[in-house]
Amino acid sequence: MIRKILTVTWNLVSGVFVLFFSLWMSGPGIAEDDTPTYRWYFMLLFVLWGIGVILQFKKRTRVIGIIITFIPTLFFLILLVMAASH
């Protein structure tokens, strides 16, 4: 029971984190020039996260699904730490 609660909590927190940073990085709000360039390839990280969540539903692919959800979360977390350290 506790394992399911932790899994659902992890998926919610990491999903909101990845979605927020994917939208922020793909939008024109962080561009250094005046041209509104949309970088939609950052949304692929949210798609990767979604694939990981879908894989977690089957017992056979649960571990690989958890690993796949870690990839975009760790990517944005590392970027956040690197940006905060400068």
Side-chain angles (χ1 to χ4, degrees):
M1 180 69 175
I2 293 176
R3 183 177 174 183
K4 285 187 178 185
I5 292 172
L6 287 175
T7 304
V8 170
T9 304
W10 160 254
N11 285 332
L12 286 175
V13 170
S14 66
V16 169
F17 182 76
V18 170
L19 179 63
F20 173 74
F21 281 105
S22 293
L23 289 172
W24 185 52
M25 295 292 282
S26 66
I30 62 168
E32 295 181 3
D33 54 0
D34 292 333
T35 59
T37 306
Y38 290 93
R39 293 170 296 274
W40 290 107
Y41 47 83
F42 281 108
M43 291 305 291
L44 291 175
L45 290 168
F46 183 70
V47 171
L48 180 67
W49 177 87
I51 290 170
V53 169
I54 291 170
L55 288 174
Q56 289 181 24
F57 287 121
K58 283 193 164 192
K59 190 171 183 118
R60 212 171 101 187
T61 58
R62 183 169 291 148
V63 174
I64 192 71
I66 291 171
I67 292 170
I68 289 175
T69 57
F70 269 113
I71 294 170
T73 306
L74 288 177
F75 175 74
F76 284 127
L77 190 63
I78 289 169
L79 283 180
L80 185 67
V81 168
M82 288 175 53
S85 66
H86 283 118

